[in-house]
Amino acid sequence: MDLRQVRKEYENRGLYEDDLASDPIDQFKIWYSEIEKVGYSEPNAMVLNTVDKNGSPSGRNVLLKEVREDGFVFFTNYESKKATDITTNEKVSLTFSWNELRRQVLVQGMAEKIPENESDEYWAMRPYESKIGSLVSNQSSMISTREELDTAFEIQELKWRGIEVPRPNHWGGYKVLPNLIEFWQGRQNRLHDRISYESTIEGWVFTRLSP
Ligand SMILES: Cc1cc2nc3c(=O)[nH]c(=O)nc-3n(C[C@H](O)[C@H](O)[C@H](O)COP(=O)(O)O)c2cc1C
């Protein structure tokens, strides 16, 4: 396998200042609707990067569940590694890789827990089995066998059948409030377009970056 020979020439779809929305969240929504239309699998998957108390970074996929005027919402376990990282350092980044359209979106911002009633609202929408899964998983902690997890699931699945499963305190949402959002469009000859929006006291200001 020689990955040095793997090279893809990108088509000429450009990103021009005149076409950009003044608010990057609006621009994000435009790009999101475009990647959805091409049938890209899980366009709402994003890599969430956090930094731990020693300054070591780690990234993992989470699913974007809501785009609000002021931020990006995802749900997780509040006792997981990522949540522990966020408790010590609220600064995070999100990376969307939308390769089908040769696009990437980077978000830098601060993560904060959303209000409990909003987590309840989304919890209520989740399938029964997903709720049981979240109930039994002490996400990021060590377990000795797969069977341990399956048995815990079976016990809780029987226990709660036909009853409304309450949202556990260890599960809920975070909102990432962005201070920087960069849109990257792949172009020919590696002369890609990069537009970076930065939050300033005058509002969002965008600049073009060299590829
Ligand atoms: C496509 C995809 C989507 C995922 N979505 C979520 C999610 O929305 N929330 C979540 O907690 N974990 C999600 N995961 C699992 C995480 O990547 C990760 O394994 C888990 O959250 C534990 O991360 P941590 O130990 O760093 O906290 C997803 C994984 C993949 C591959």
Side-chain angles (χ1 to χ4, degrees), residues 42 45 60-63 75-77 80-83 139-140:
E42 292 202 294
R60 79 288 285 154
N61 276 279
V62 291
L63 294 177
F75 291 86
T76 193
N77 185 308
S80 62
K81 165 161 171 38
K82 72 181 90 48
Q139 196 176 58
S140 318

Side-chain angles (χ1 to χ4, degrees), residues 32-43 98 100-101:
Y32 195 85
S33 67
E34 291 173 357
I35 191 66
E36 258 189 326
K37 274 191 210 119
V38 298
Y40 195 61
S41 166
E42 292 202 294
W98 292 331
E100 209 77 17
L101 290 177

